[in-house]
């Protein structure tokens, strides 16, 4: 299993604990996908040891159960595979330092829905929160758990709330994502102090992380399972979604959309739209609806 990929060099977990450095030979392309990296963290591969050497050459990538792609830019045709064969996703957010906008959360969640990988939300740095931040956190927890996403509030630094999360991650391959500076790597260090991974304070001036982790890397957990630490994302590139199907990935909007008058309703301003009605009655959170519209408009502008 590939545990680290830095472009052309790979670290492979071989057997229980052996790590073998590998490269790939020449042009190595996975047919259907136009990706910048043919092999990703989480891939199961076959390799051969090089003659008289402890390093290897990857000869084949085994079939993927799933994978998460990210576009280099919104308009780019090439995408990068962040990781493959993942059991569950975790988006780590913070209410402050840095602040995570709801639309950012929703872009992540619809990507998870599109790939059919279960997604969860971790709200970190609760030790920093005052009354107002706690209210915002509680609003998010109630909003997202009602839709069906499990939420974990915790303070990695104070080690509070981390045990429940550990239970959830036990024996699974989990991908940990989120903005730079939210504390992803700090969590891994708490779960496995032997890792001693690099973390850094967020900048005083911009109140943002400094993009300390630069490549996705999978780490074995002492309690069983693996966690993939990823570089902080600025935005989760929504991957080729048909604009008519974006609302399919907002579970609560999708559920209500069956009551819209028109089968091809996009829930913008059509008559008899059950979704808009539900937003007015607060059965759908207006912030979620706004995320939906913004994502839809973004998709529109791509085709202009
Ligand atoms: N107050 C507080 N600070 C925390 C907590 N968790 C992490 N931090 C701090 O947040 C800063 C950023 O943490 P990192 O773990 O490097 O963040 P990251 O998400 O890995 O960031 P990138 O690798 O840049 O994507 C560090 O100074 C941590 O000590 C927490 O629960 N409370
Ligand atoms: Mg990090
Ligand atoms: Zn509608």
């Amino acid at each position: 299993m590939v545990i680290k990929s830095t472009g052309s060099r790979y670290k492979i977990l071989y057997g229980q604990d052996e790590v073998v450095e590998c490269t790939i030979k020449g042009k190595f392309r996975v047919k259907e996908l136009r990706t910048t990296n043919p092999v990703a963290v989480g891939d199961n591969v076959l390799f051969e040891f090089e003659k008289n050497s402890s390093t290897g050459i990857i000869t084949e990538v085994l079939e993927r159960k799933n994978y998460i792609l990210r576009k280099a830019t919104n308009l780019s045709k090439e995408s990068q595979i962040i990781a493959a064969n993942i059991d569950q996703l975790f988006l780590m957010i913070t209410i402050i330092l840095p602040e995570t906008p709801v639309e950012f959360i929703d872009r992540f969640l619809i990507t998870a829905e599109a790939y059919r990988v279960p997604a969860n939300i971790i709200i970190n740095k609760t030790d920093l929160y005052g009354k107002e931040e706690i209210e915002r956190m509680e609003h998010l927890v109630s909003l997202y758990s009602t839709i069906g996403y499990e939420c974990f509030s915790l303070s990695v630094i104070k080690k509070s709330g981390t045990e429940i999360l550990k239970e959830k991650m036990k024996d699974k391959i989990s991908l940990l994502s989120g903005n730079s500076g939210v504390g992803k790597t700090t969590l891994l260090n708490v779960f496995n102090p032997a890792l001693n991974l690099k973390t850094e304070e967020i900048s005083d001036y911009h109140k943002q992380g400094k993009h300390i982790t630069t490549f996705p890397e999978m780490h074995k957990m002492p309690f069983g399972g693996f966690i993939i630490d990823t570089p902080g994302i600025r935005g989760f590139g929504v991957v080729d979604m048909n604009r008519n199907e974006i609302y399919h990935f907002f579970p609560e909007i999708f559920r209500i959309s069956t009551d819209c008058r028109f089968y091809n309703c996009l829930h913008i301003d059509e008559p008899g739209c059950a979704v808009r009605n539900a937003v007015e009655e607060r059965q759908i959170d207006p912030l979620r609806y706004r995320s939906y519209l913004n994502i839809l408009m973004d998709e529109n502008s791509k085709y202009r």
Side-chain angles (χ1 to χ4, degrees), residues 180-181 183-186 198-200 211-214 229-232:
S180 179
K184 302 179 292 295
T185 305
T186 311
K198 191 170 187 286
T199 66
E200 200 176 309
H211 293 274
I212 300 306
T213 308
T214 45
D229 189 13
T230 62

Side-chain angles (χ1 to χ4, degrees), residues 102-234:
V102 166
E103 189 179 327
F104 178 89
I105 303 173
D106 293 334
R107 281 181 188 270
F108 178 87
L109 293 177
I110 65 167
T111 309
E113 294 289 338
Y115 289 118
R116 296 197 177 80
V117 186
N120 307 274
I121 298 172
I122 300 172
I123 307 179
N124 187 27
K125 306 200 185 181
T126 54
D127 56 289
L128 299 177
Y129 300 171
K131 191 163 172 285
E132 191 202 327
E133 287 80 23
I134 289 173
E135 272 168 21
R136 270 154 64 197
M137 172 174 81
E138 282 170 352
H139 175 73
L140 292 182
V141 170
S142 125
L143 165 59
Y144 287 106
S145 43
T146 307
I147 299 168
Y149 300 105
E150 221 175 312
C151 299
F152 299 84
S153 307
L154 47 89
S155 164
V156 174
I157 292 271
K158 292 259 157 44
K159 297 193 176 66
S160 84
T162 47
E163 285 303 310
I164 308 169
L165 184 60
K166 200 185 268 184
E167 265 318 299
K168 177 85 181 173
M169 291 179 154
K170 190 172 179 289
D171 298 332
K172 297 261 167 61
I173 296 182
S174 305
L175 182 127
L176 186 55
S177 189
N179 259 324
S180 179
V182 294
K184 302 179 292 295
T185 305
T186 311
L187 176 68
L188 270 82
N189 281 337
V190 164
F191 278 172
N192 186 0
L195 291 173
N196 202 10
L197 302 165
K198 191 170 187 286
T199 66
E200 200 176 309
E201 280 176 34
I202 67 173
S203 97
D204 266 346
Y205 183 70
H206 292 289
K207 306 271 183 259
Q208 280 181 357
K210 295 172 182 163
H211 293 274
I212 300 306
T213 308
T214 45
F215 289 100
E217 183 166 4
M218 188 187 282
H219 302 281
K220 197 171 182 177
M221 290 297 122
F223 50 84
F226 296 87
I227 304 178
I228 304 168
D229 189 13
T230 62
I233 40 173
R234 290 198 175 79

Side-chain angles (χ1 to χ4, degrees), residues 2-16:
V2 178
I3 56 171
K4 187 169 190 179
S5 141
T6 54
S8 54
R9 310 183 67 83
Y10 302 88
K11 276 189 184 159
I12 314 289
L13 183 67
Y14 176 52
Q16 273 303 305

Side-chain angles (χ1 to χ4, degrees), residues 260 265 267 273-275:
C260 292
C265 188
H267 327 300
C273 174
V275 170

Side-chain angles (χ1 to χ4, degrees), residues 5 48 77 80 82 86 89 149 252 271:
S5 141
E48 286 167 1
K77 286 221 171 61
Q80 183 204 351
I82 303 178
I86 307 145
L89 296 168
Y149 300 105
E252 81 282 28

